[in-house]
């Protein structure tokens, strides 16, 4: 009887090891990567302009802590959660910065001065993104992507804020699917970038410091 019990325990131990091995060797479900913004047009799409473009320096874009990184934020009322099985291909703040720079490159009246580019810009653009989320009215419903950003234009060397504006874009997703939500993020970010670039182009000439008397 004792020998029989020993054989049963040994068999159970072998089965347990086999099951644990299967668990260790199992492949986790892959996470789909997405991106937003950027048309690939670049400077080549900018029409010729008689006047030289206004040089503007872009400060590092500030992003809300919950939306930083590569996870896609969903919000329902006072609850927030990250969308399962989907991530941005790069941190959202980097994708947003790259898309905004590309939008500037396609505009004939303003030109961003690179951080490593020689030369001094008399205007500095600061962009603080305060919302970057897929907002649900109810669980299981179709979300609306909401992006809000505050832009400030500063003139140097006085560092005076000469223009300030808050931009908000709301873009409903076609359906409650990750691909549709990503499309809404893409459309919303392009819209917001275009508004910021146009606003900068219109506000930058007025940001020139008055001559000393």
């Amino acid at each position: 009887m004792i020998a029989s019990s020993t054989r049963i325990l040994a068999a159970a131990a072998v089965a347990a090891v086999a099951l644990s091995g299967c668990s260790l060797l199992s492949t986790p479900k892959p996470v789909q990567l997405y991106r937003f913004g950027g048309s690939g047009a670049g400077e080549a799409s900018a029409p010729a302009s008689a006047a030289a473009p206004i040089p503007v320096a872009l400060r590092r874009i500030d992003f809300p802590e919950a939306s930083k990184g590569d996870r896609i934020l969903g919000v329902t009322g006072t609850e927030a959660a990250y969308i399962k099985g989907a991530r941005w291909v790069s941190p959202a703040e980097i994708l947003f910065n790259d898309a905004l720079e590309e939008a500037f490159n396609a505009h004939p009246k303003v030109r961003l001065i690179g951080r490593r580019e020689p030369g001094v810009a008399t205007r500095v653009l600061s962009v603080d993104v305060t919302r970057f989320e897929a907002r649900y009215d109810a669980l299981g419903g179709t979300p609306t992507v909401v992006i809000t950003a505050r832009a400030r234009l500063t003139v140097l060397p006085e560092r005076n804020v000469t223009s300030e504006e808050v931009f908000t874009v709301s873009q409903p997703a076609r359906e409650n699917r990750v691909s549709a939500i990503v499309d809404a993020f893409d459309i919303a970010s392009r819209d917001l970038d275009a508004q910021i670039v146009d606003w900068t182009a219109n506000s930058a000439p007025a940001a020139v410091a008055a001559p000393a008397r």
Side-chain angles (χ1 to χ4, degrees):
M1 184 69 176
I2 294 176
S4 177
S5 298
T6 302
R7 286 195 295 271
I8 293 174
L9 290 174
V14 171
V17 171
L19 288 175
S20 64
C22 291
S23 177
L24 291 173
L25 294 175
S26 62
T27 303
K29 186 177 180 180
V31 175
Q32 182 64 47
L33 299 179
Y34 296 91
R35 64 176 299 119
F36 63 87
S39 63
E43 295 184 14
S45 66
S49 177
I54 300 169
V56 177
L58 176 64
R59 291 187 61 187
R60 181 177 179 179
I61 295 175
D62 192 22
F63 240 67
E65 193 65 33
S67 298
K68 283 183 178 179
D70 60 357
R71 294 181 294 179
I72 304 175
L73 181 65
V75 176
T76 306
T78 58
E79 298 181 359
Y82 295 106
I83 296 177
K84 186 178 180 180
R87 291 179 183 268
W88 299 121
V89 69
S90 298
E93 60 271 26
I94 293 179
L95 291 176
F96 188 92
N97 184 91
D98 291 346
L100 182 58
E101 287 185 354
E102 187 169 325
F104 269 105
N105 289 339
H107 200 285
K109 294 183 179 180
V110 285
R111 183 175 73 88
L112 288 185
I113 300 297
R115 293 179 177 87
R116 298 182 180 180
E117 185 178 351
V120 178
T122 57
R123 304 155 181 87
V124 178
L125 175 64
S126 302
V127 178
D128 298 331
V129 177
T130 56
R131 283 193 182 90
F132 192 83
E133 61 199 31
R135 187 175 299 173
Y136 292 81
D137 290 334
L139 289 174
T142 301
T144 295
V145 168
V146 179
I147 306 178
T148 300
R150 173 180 281 106
R152 293 185 300 276
L153 202 58
T154 305
V155 64
L156 298 178
E158 292 81 0
R159 298 183 182 275
N160 295 328
V161 177
T162 57
S163 300
E164 185 170 358
E165 189 74 26
V166 175
F167 302 89
T168 297
V169 174
S170 298
Q171 177 62 45
R174 300 186 311 275
E175 54 184 329
N176 189 25
R177 294 174 60 88
V178 175
S179 58
I181 295 171
V182 169
D183 286 344
F185 269 106
D186 185 59
I187 295 171
S189 65
R190 290 172 189 268
D191 186 359
L192 187 71
D193 289 345
Q195 291 186 44
I196 291 176
V197 172
D198 287 341
W199 172 82
T200 303
N202 292 328
S203 302
V208 179
R213 294 183 180 180

